[in-house]
Amino acid sequence: MATPASRSQVLALYRSLLHHSSKFAAYNFRDYAVRRTRDAFHAAKGEQDPAKIQSLIAHGEKQLEIVKRQSLISQLYGGEKLVVETKHQKILRRH
Amino acid sequence: MSFTRLLQPARSLRSMQPALLARSAVPRFVVSPAVSAFHTSAKRLQAQSAQTVITPSSESLGFSVSEVKDIQNTRPIYMDMQATSPTDPRVLDAMLPYMTELYGNPHSRTHSYGWETEKGVDQAREDIAKLIGADAKEIVFTSGATESNNLSIKGVARFYKGKKNHIITTQTEHKCVLDSCRVLTDEGFEVTYLPVGKNGLISMDDLKAAIRPDTALVSIMAVNNEIGVIQPLEEIGKLCRSKKIFFHTDAAQAIGKIPIDVTKMNIDLLSISGHKIYGPKGVGALYVRRRPRVRLVPLLTGGGQERGLRSGTVAAPLAVGLGEACRIAIEEMDYDHDRVKRLSERLINGIQSKVSHVYRNGDEIQSYPGCVNLSFAYVEGESLLMALKDIALSSGSACTSASLEPSYVLRALGAEDDMAHSSIRFGIGRFTTEEEIDFVVSRVVAHVDKLREMSPLWEMVQEGIDISKIEWAQHA
């Protein structure tokens, strides 16, 4: 089977997902992508089964591709801010 | 331009930022000059150059008229998930190849363009079937839940006409079900409209009593679009199967939000809509049971696509989008449901803890938490809607919101006119945030207080006068 995933590989994927998720121009998609990434990684934190970890990483990599493409599209057509947004951006600035 | 070029990290562009800031509407999110060069927004796309000319008439009485300019640069937050939901970016990502490269007709058998599109459509069929526990062969693509409802009700009724002439439905169904039934009444069918209780649920005894030997179909919706109540599908299905009556359910608001299993619930026909589950608009599906077989007279005839039940080329990009939306729904149902439930409680508790005389319409337990219908006593719903212009809301179904009539669904619950007039529906979905909920709560609380302060009725209530006992003088 595939080599076991290293901690750094998982962390790199996590950071990359958060980074690209925060690029959605649309507030709701941006918030969802960041939150869903965090929740998914936290939920899988204690996973021990190497095969399961491998399939989770494969899933994450697929999501990363989608987020990269879709955040770009969101930037192309979006941009008008929602009334709740001004406060919100401070929270996301960490990424 | 290659994809990697477009996705340069923002850091390397920092030196260019002042120039970018000046040019683009959203400097913070622009990662590449290419994006900012092609960027457009809905406002710009819809902008019209034509100007409205208003000439003052003699009736203007010295009042000047000026064009209302949209000075607001922010958009309202979206809380009308029952009308439609935003398309999930993952759904759009699955659709785009079929709107660009893969344009073949899925029914073309003679070349690879047809095959590759057919493969996408078949995968979508599988995913939809999986979500409701059906077989892919039992799924028919339609243009939406309205068509699915029309096809199943008219289709079954017309096929079995002569032997069976009776249909049962409820008073709180969607307009398209009620209207299909009305058309069938003109064709000689008899329709029973079951009443609902104060909580919005039908009574099984009423249903049992309404069933006749010539009943062909029972059509009862899964989740109500205005009040969110969940009808007892399993019991209804069991009863219908035992009496050999077909059971159709309009599950447009239920699919992907609550677990549905056509086998366990003995459902024979089930309507699905794409745009209620973060999929594209303009596509839906109908589940038609094969064993025991349900026979339908099609609404559209022609090339005989979709087992002859729905002629016309399947809209492949939309079908793929619907399939992807269903696949995501299977993965995300538990996560979404937990979250929607939490946000829903936050909304209801937030409002009810700060405003008195707020009532929730519909059953509290047997309902989908993402649809919260509240009545604010002594406040006119339309005025509140106007005041809450920063929030996209509706007082009920989108189809009836143009009229000022109180909702027929709330009337069917036995709500008094004033309570039906003062209702607002809050829709919570996958992309709703805590921040939005808190914003809604603060706005609703502020405006309800303000509107009540202006209301003489509210003043009387505060003084302890029972308004329902007042005899109002009639204007002659």
Side-chain angles (χ1 to χ4, degrees):
Chain A
M1 265 289 289
T3 50
S6 69
R7 186 184 155 79
S8 60
Q9 190 193 349
V10 174
L11 280 176
L13 177 62
Y14 182 50
R15 276 198 210 102
S16 204
L17 267 166
L18 285 181
H19 175 70
H20 287 284
S21 295
S22 65
K23 284 185 178 176
F24 272 100
Y27 162 79
N28 294 86
F29 293 158
R30 182 170 71 240
D31 190 274
Y32 175 79
V34 170
R35 167 167 33 89
R36 193 71 192 89
T37 303
R38 273 198 203 128
D39 290 350
F41 275 81
H42 280 283
K45 217 167 139 187
E47 189 59 60
Q48 295 296 324
D49 180 6
K52 187 81 205 291
I53 293 173
Q54 214 57 50
S55 86
L56 283 169
I57 289 178
H59 178 74
E61 274 162 358
K62 211 179 143 206
Q63 300 303 309
L64 178 60
E65 281 178 34
I66 296 175
V67 168
K68 278 181 181 173
R69 285 193 292 265
Q70 292 300 313
S71 59
L72 197 66
I73 290 176
S74 176
Q75 287 168 29
L76 281 170
Y77 295 98
E80 280 170 70
K81 291 200 171 67
L82 299 194
V83 287
V84 287
E85 259 187 273
T86 37
K87 292 179 283 173
H88 194 78
Q89 287 178 354
K90 285 179 205 137
I91 302 165
L92 283 168
R93 207 153 282 167
R94 275 182 287 160
H95 308 293
Chain B
M1 178 169 292
S2 79
F3 200 72
T4 41
R5 282 276 311 277
L6 285 171
L7 287 165
Q8 290 165 28
R11 258 170 256 111
S12 64
L13 291 166
R14 194 144 289 169
S15 54
M16 304 172 57
Q17 274 212 343
L20 274 176
L21 275 170
R23 252 194 303 152
S24 140
V26 272
R28 224 189 79 73
F29 299 104
V30 173
V31 280
S32 141
V35 169
S36 94
F38 299 129
H39 171 266
T40 185
S41 68
K43 216 174 235 171
R44 218 192 297 172
L45 286 171
Q46 293 179 346
Q48 286 178 344
S49 52
Q51 275 191 328
T52 339
V53 182
I54 304 156
T55 30
S57 68
S58 58
E59 284 159 27
S60 301
L61 299 170
F63 288 99
S64 62
V65 181
S66 64
E67 194 187 342
V68 180
K69 282 223 175 75
D70 191 8
I71 42 162
Q72 240 187 337
N73 281 319
T74 52
R75 300 187 79 198
I77 61 172
Y78 192 77
M79 288 284 282
D80 201 7
M81 290 301 165
Q82 278 71 39
T84 192
S85 55
T87 311
D88 193 305
R90 289 167 287 192
V91 171
L92 180 62
D93 198 69
M95 286 167 69
L96 279 171
Y98 294 90
M99 303 183 104
T100 48
E101 283 284 295
L102 308 174
Y103 53 80
N105 184 324
H107 312 294
S108 294
R109 289 287 157 83
T110 48
H111 47 72
S112 63
Y113 285 78
W115 305 333
E116 59 200 16
T117 310
E118 190 188 22
K119 204 173 156 194
V121 172
D122 283 348
Q123 182 59 47
R125 221 185 282 279
E126 292 270 344
D127 290 333
I128 298 165
K130 207 172 151 198
L131 178 60
I132 57 171
D135 187 271
K137 292 193 192 97
E138 299 173 309
I139 303 295
V140 173
F141 283 110
T142 65
S143 65
T146 291
E147 189 190 328
S148 298
N149 286 337
N150 270 274
L151 176 56
S152 33
I153 293 167
K154 291 177 186 165
V156 166
R158 285 172 186 164
F159 191 92
Y160 295 94
K161 193 180 180 178
K163 276 179 278 176
K164 293 186 164 187
N165 281 314
H166 181 232
I167 295 158
I168 299 172
T169 185
T170 73
Q171 291 174 354
T172 56
E173 291 299 306
H174 191 269
K175 276 274 165 72
C176 65
V177 169
L178 297 177
D179 220 50
S180 296
C181 290
R182 192 188 54 76
V183 168
L184 289 174
T185 315
D186 294 343
E187 291 177 20
F189 289 91
E190 279 181 62
V191 182
T192 303
Y193 298 94
L194 292 177
V196 292
K198 266 192 112 51
N199 57 3
L201 295 169
I202 62 149
S203 115
M204 288 307 289
D205 293 333
D206 284 351
L207 178 59
K208 263 179 217 149
I211 288 176
R212 311 195 315 212
D214 67 339
T215 305
L217 181 76
V218 169
S219 175
I220 294 175
M221 79 200 313
V223 170
N224 186 276
N225 55 322
E226 289 197 28
I227 50 175
V229 296
I230 306 170
Q231 299 290 356
L233 296 180
E234 208 169 328
E235 286 174 57
I236 299 169
K238 209 168 147 193
L239 177 66
C240 290
R241 181 60 54 89
S242 74
K243 305 267 184 192
K244 292 198 163 62
I245 298 166
F246 292 126
F247 173 33
H248 165 254
T249 187
D250 171 7
Q253 301 283 354
I255 285 297
K257 293 166 187 159
I258 59 167
I260 298 250
D261 188 313
V262 289
T263 315
K264 208 176 95 195
M265 295 171 168
N266 289 312
I267 295 167
D268 297 306
L269 298 132
L270 180 139
S271 304
I272 296 173
S273 170
H275 71 117
K276 311 280 189 197
I277 54 165
Y278 315 101
K281 291 161 190 56
V283 69
L286 177 64
Y287 159 79
V288 185
R289 183 174 284 283
R290 278 163 75 94
R291 267 187 220 100
R293 192 164 171 205
V294 182
R295 300 173 74 104
L296 302 171
V297 175
L299 294 175
L300 301 180
T301 50
Q305 289 91 344
E306 301 296 283
R307 291 161 52 202
L309 293 175
R310 211 278 186 178
S311 287
T313 302
V314 168
L318 302 181
V320 168
L322 174 57
E324 182 67 6
C326 288
R327 196 193 60 74
I328 296 167
I330 298 170
E331 275 179 15
E332 301 286 336
M333 198 187 295
D334 293 339
Y335 179 86
D336 282 351
H337 196 274
D338 283 355
R339 193 174 154 75
V340 165
K341 192 158 177 256
R342 241 184 5 253
L343 292 177
S344 167
E345 281 162 7
R346 192 182 178 112
L347 177 77
I348 297 170
N349 296 339
I351 292 177
Q352 285 188 335
S353 66
K354 289 179 195 129
V355 189
S356 60
H357 298 85
V358 180
Y359 308 98
R360 177 154 187 205
N361 295 307
D363 198 88
E364 285 192 18
I365 299 144
Q366 272 303 312
S367 69
Y368 170 61
C371 180
V372 179
N373 193 314
L374 299 178
S375 279
F376 298 86
Y378 318 114
V379 170
E380 220 263 311
E382 294 294 324
S383 322
L384 188 54
L385 277 185
M386 298 281 207
L388 297 170
K389 60 178 183 337
D390 280 341
I391 308 163
L393 282 169
S394 136
S395 54
S397 147
C399 327
T400 44
S401 59
S403 67
L404 288 173
E405 282 282 296
S407 136
Y408 65 90
V409 173
L410 292 180
R411 285 213 180 179
L413 300 191
E416 295 294 324
D417 251 14
D418 58 334
M419 289 309 267
H421 263 300
S422 65
S423 79
I424 287 191
R425 179 183 67 180
F426 300 88
I428 301 163
R430 181 180 287 163
F431 301 105
T432 310
T433 68
E434 278 90 356
E435 221 177 358
E436 287 178 313
I437 296 288
D438 294 346
F439 180 82
V440 171
V441 170
S442 73
R443 286 299 160 101
V444 167
V445 170
H447 285 295
V448 169
D449 283 347
K450 207 164 104 191
L451 287 169
R452 279 184 182 167
E453 259 171 47
M454 294 191 283
S455 155
L457 283 181
W458 178 244
E459 211 173 296
M460 288 159 81
V461 173
Q462 296 301 92
E463 285 165 9
I465 300 168
D466 188 348
I467 288 181
S468 60
K469 300 257 163 65
I470 295 175
E471 279 192 35
W472 303 96
Q474 290 254 319
H475 287 286

